[in-house]
Amino acid sequence: MKWLIGFILLSGLAGSPAFALQVEGPLSPVVTADVKQHPDFLLRKQHPNAYLSDKGDFDGDGQADEVAFHKNAKGQVVVLIKFGNGLIAGLPTQLLSLKDDMPRAGVKTVKPGTYKMACAKKAGPDNQSCQPEVTTKTDAFEVFTFEAGSVLYIWKEEEFRPYVLTD
């Protein structure tokens, strides 16, 4: 699952035209039945949406936004953000597999605050300069794998920027 976070690190916010090139066919939300067979399902019970979706004001406009995993008929999964104004955007990560990746992947809202980065904990990529912490003034969201890596996405200057929290 470590590679999953690696691809998420390289992502930012993509508009619909670029995003549409990555996914074939109509999308529907990933639901608990899609991941229930995995042993990590017990961890999902700690969150009202089983860590498959969450809401927050990610862009700071005062309207509720939603981040969620969505799948197509081929079992390809992407992260979509639906803004309060109705616009939808996707994180242009490598397509995830419903069968192989989703049993361990999750998403959750993170409240405003200051968070330590992986490099400050002596983890993460060695070839990048270390920003020991990051502060968000709005809600943000975290994409993670259970008991593994996580990336915090913060809305800055009209895009989501990734920050590695754990590796």
Side-chain angles (χ1 to χ4, degrees):
M1 292 314 292
K2 193 172 184 178
W3 64 268
L4 162 69
I5 298 302
F7 284 109
I8 293 172
L9 286 174
L10 301 174
S11 66
L13 181 65
S16 297
F19 179 72
L21 298 174
Q22 297 180 26
V23 182
E24 297 175 19
L27 296 173
S28 61
V30 174
V31 296
T32 55
D34 294 322
V35 295
K36 198 166 188 171
Q37 74 285 359
H38 196 273
D40 283 338
F41 188 75
L42 294 175
L43 298 172
R44 292 187 183 278
K45 291 183 177 182
Q46 299 173 16
H47 189 274
N49 298 322
Y51 295 110
L52 296 173
S53 68
D54 214 352
K55 292 185 178 185
D57 182 9
F58 305 126
D59 57 359
D61 67 356
Q63 297 182 49
D65 308 311
E66 182 179 18
V67 60
F69 291 106
H70 282 72
K71 63 185 177 184
N72 67 9
K74 292 183 176 184
Q76 299 169 318
V77 178
V78 293
V79 177
L80 293 183
I81 300 94
K82 182 178 180 185
F83 294 99
N85 62 9
L87 294 176
I88 298 175
L91 295 179
T93 62
Q94 176 177 344
L95 295 176
L96 306 176
S97 164
L98 185 63
K99 178 184 173 196
D100 299 327
D101 301 320
M102 278 314 303
R104 299 214 44 151
V107 64
K108 68 179 179 178
T109 298
V110 175
K111 294 300 177 190
T114 300
Y115 299 90
K116 289 194 182 293
M117 304 281 289
C119 65
K121 303 171 200 172
K122 305 295 184 208
D126 292 331
N127 61 347
Q128 296 180 353
S129 61
C130 180
Q131 177 181 343
E133 58 187 29
V134 63
T135 299
T136 177
K137 295 179 181 179
T138 63
D139 290 341
F141 63 89
E142 182 180 352
V143 178
F144 62 91
T145 55
F146 290 107
E147 300 177 358
S150 69
V151 177
L152 180 67
Y153 286 91
I154 300 174
W155 183 256
K156 291 190 177 189
E157 301 172 20
E158 304 301 317
E159 68 179 7
F160 284 104
R161 296 211 182 143
Y163 298 90
V164 181
L165 296 180
T166 59
D167 183 33

